[in-house]
Each structure stands twice: as C-alpha cells, then as structure tokens.
C-alpha cells in the first residue's frame, strides 16, 4: 500500500555537478539551471565541455533527475527528468540523483508539485538575493509513495491531462491569431462569470477563484491519502483534475479587458 518515505530512501547517487568553466561550443553539453523548465530539459542556450575527466565523472544517465539547489527564491528547487541518451553532464548549481524502486516520472511529478514548492519555501536558506537547498535537505524531503503499479497509473493520467492542456494552448493560440487578424476589436465568447457547484449550491465566481478552489481541493485530498478510503479519494482527485483542466482552458480563452 501507500507509505510515507524520505526521498533519500527511494533515490540514490545525490551528487553536485561540475564547477569547471564551460565553453560556448564543444563535444559534450553541460546542463545549467536555465535548462530546467517545467519538469523537462530545455536544450536551448547550451554550453559545452571537452574535458574527458569531467565527462566521465558527471555523465548523466537516462531517467536521472536534476534538482536546482541554488537560484532565486521563486525558482530554487525546480526539478527535471533527463530523458535523453545523449552524452551530457551537469553544472554545479544542480544536484543529480537516481530513483531506485520508484518510477522516475512519478518522482518528477512529486518534485514539481505545490507541496514540494511549499517545502522548498520552508527549508531554503537565503543569502544575497539567492536561495539554497543542499543535498542533505533534499534527501529528507518526505513524500507519499504508492505501489509501482499505481505510480505508473498516476503518471499516465497526469501526462494525459498535460497533453490536453498543450493541445488546448495550441488551438487557442491559433484561434486568437486568426480572430485578431479578422476582427481586431472582437471579443471571444465565453467571458461571462461561470457557475461553480459546491455543497449542492451554485455560486458565481471569478475564473481565478475556481482554479484556486480546485487547486486547494486537490491538495487536501492528497493530504488525506492514508487516512481515508484511497479509491474514493482517487476518484475525487481525478474529477477535480478534469475540472482544473477545463477552467484553465477557459482562463486561457478569456480575452484581456479593453
């Protein structure tokens, strides 16, 4: 069943990256904190190394995770999964670690969650406009861990919702571009306040308020895992995720005020 674990119990190989000076071109990319974006690796604005010793010592393996240990207060702690098989190393402001007996994509989801962001805000050390979370603190991050089969199912469902959001964003961008070209002053439909059903009563709320309510409800249900029926909570979370995606779509669709 589900259990509470420290990150250091389900991951190994926590290691800081290279502090050597990088090059604008070379044979091996060096990932920096700017290359971690939304849980994935952004391969733009790369630097490189030709140092064989550095490459051997800091070489990344497929499905390694990279944690940004030093950054601004808002960005420290961002994490991404390394999915590539390309020979690549990582810089000193990053911590590399490898999941064991856990799904690396599930761990990546957890480390990109609101709960993890709140934890980062609590444990970070601030100095000279920068924040830091060292590897020892990272190892002690506590997270719920479901069985591997359930981890895989959670990953699949989250990925499905993320794909839906990406598709909607593409459609919206295309539609807005077309609308602006044809009708520069025309408003898109669907900007009226929406009705939210809560405790069997309807309330007219602003879209941002809907999203905030759903976000809080999802987090509360996750916090209850282990205390109440997991099947019931799972259904609640999935239903709220669907609503969250729909209201996010509506927010993106909503035009700016003139």
């Amino acid at each position: 069943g589900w259990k509470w674990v420290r990150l250091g119990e389900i991951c190994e190989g926590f290691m800081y990256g290279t502090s050597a000076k990088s090059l604008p071109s070379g044979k091996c990319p060096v990932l920096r904190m700017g290359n971690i974006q939304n849980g994935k690796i952004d391969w733009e604005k790369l630097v490189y190394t030709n140092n064989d010793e550095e490459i051997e010592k800091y070489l990344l393996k497929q499905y390694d995770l990279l944690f940004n240990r030093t950054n601004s207060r808002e960005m420290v702690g961002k994490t991404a999964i390394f999915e590539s098989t390309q020979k690549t190393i990582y810089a000193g402001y990053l911590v590399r670690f490898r999941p064991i007996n856990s799904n690396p994509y599930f761990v990546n989801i957890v480390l990109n969650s609101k709960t993890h962001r709140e934890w980062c805000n609590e444990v970070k050390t601030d100095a000279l406009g920068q924040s830091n979370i060292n590897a020892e603190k990272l190892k002690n991050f506590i997270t719920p861990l479901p069985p591997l089969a359930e981890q895989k199912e959670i990953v699949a469902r989250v990925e499905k919702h993320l794909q839906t959001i990406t598709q909607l964003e593409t459609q919206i961008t295309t539609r807005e571009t077309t609308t602006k070209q044809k009708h520069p002053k025309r408003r898109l439909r669907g900007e009226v306040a929406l009705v939210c059903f809560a405790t069997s009563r309807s309330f007219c709320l602003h879209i941002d308020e809907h999203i905030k309510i759903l976000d809080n409800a999802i987090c509360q249900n996750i916090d209850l895992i282990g205390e109440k029926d997991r099947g019931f909570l799972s259904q609640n979370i999935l239903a709220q995720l669907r609503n969250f995606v729909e209201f996010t779509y509506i927010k993106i669709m909503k035009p700016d005020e003139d």
Side-chain angles (χ1 to χ4, degrees):
W2 288 62
K3 58 184 179 180
W4 290 96
V5 298
R6 297 185 186 277
L7 192 64
E9 297 177 65
I10 60 171
C11 297
E12 64 180 5
F14 290 79
M15 181 176 172
Y16 296 160
T18 177
S19 58
K21 186 175 178 60
S22 300
L23 306 171
S25 61
K27 64 182 180 181
C28 180
V30 181
L31 297 179
R32 300 176 294 173
M33 57 187 181
N35 298 114
I36 295 180
Q37 299 292 337
N38 301 316
K40 295 183 179 294
I41 300 299
D42 183 346
W43 292 91
E44 299 294 326
K45 299 180 180 179
L46 291 171
V47 293
Y48 297 84
T49 184
N50 291 322
N51 188 318
D52 290 330
E53 291 183 4
E54 294 280 304
I55 293 172
E56 181 179 359
K57 183 176 180 180
Y58 299 107
L59 187 65
L60 290 166
K61 294 182 179 180
Q62 191 176 32
Y63 308 126
D64 279 353
L65 290 168
L66 291 171
F67 174 87
N68 184 193
R69 68 183 180 94
T70 303
N71 204 326
S72 66
R73 293 177 176 86
E74 297 77 19
M75 302 301 291
V76 67
K78 61 179 181 175
T79 305
I81 186 168
F82 182 75
E83 301 177 278
S84 177
T85 56
Q86 179 180 350
K87 183 178 290 187
T88 307
I89 67 171
Y90 59 105
Y93 282 163
L94 303 179
V95 180
R96 179 220 66 196
F97 54 101
R98 293 170 178 152
I100 50 174
N101 301 319
S102 57
N103 186 308
Y105 287 97
F106 174 80
V107 177
N108 191 45
I109 289 171
V110 170
L111 297 183
N112 280 279
S113 67
K114 179 182 177 182
T115 300
H116 183 255
R117 169 47 50 196
E118 292 173 346
W119 175 83
C120 288
N121 291 337
E122 291 176 1
V123 303
K124 64 183 173 60
T125 302
D126 297 327
L128 302 175
Q130 293 283 296
S131 295
N132 179 269
I133 302 171
N134 63 37
E136 289 304 313
K137 288 182 179 179
L138 179 59
K139 290 178 185 178
N140 284 315
F141 172 69
I142 297 175
T143 178
L145 184 73
L148 280 169
E150 292 188 48
Q151 292 179 42
K152 184 177 179 181
E153 179 65 19
I154 290 170
V155 170
R157 297 197 182 199
V158 169
E159 287 296 328
K160 181 179 179 181
H161 284 298
L162 291 176
Q163 289 172 9
T164 299
I165 291 173
T166 300
Q167 292 168 359
L168 290 174
E169 288 175 339
T170 301
Q171 294 172 12
I172 291 164
T173 300
T174 302
R175 178 178 174 182
E176 287 181 341
T177 301
T178 303
T179 302
K180 288 178 180 178
Q181 290 173 346
K182 292 182 178 180
H183 308 283
K185 295 294 184 180
R186 181 181 174 183
R187 285 177 174 270
L188 296 175
R189 289 176 290 179
E191 55 189 288
V192 180
L194 301 172
V195 176
C196 176
F197 291 95
T199 62
S200 301
R201 297 173 62 191
S202 299
F203 298 87
C204 290
L205 301 171
H206 188 274
I207 293 172
D208 288 339
E209 191 64 24
H210 282 282
I211 293 174
K212 183 185 293 186
I213 289 172
L214 288 165
D215 180 51
N216 288 335
I218 291 169
C219 291
Q220 289 171 8
N221 275 277
I222 291 174
D223 289 340
L224 289 172
I225 291 173
E227 298 179 16
K228 295 190 176 182
D229 179 69
R230 191 167 66 235
F232 174 76
L233 290 174
S234 297
Q235 291 301 316
N236 268 354
I237 292 170
L238 289 173
Q240 290 156 356
L241 277 172
R242 284 192 291 271
N243 291 333
F244 186 87
V245 171
E246 291 171 1
F247 279 107
T248 301
Y249 165 74
I250 294 169
K251 179 176 175 61
I252 297 171
M253 287 285 290
K254 189 177 184 296
D256 295 330
E257 298 296 329
D258 287 338

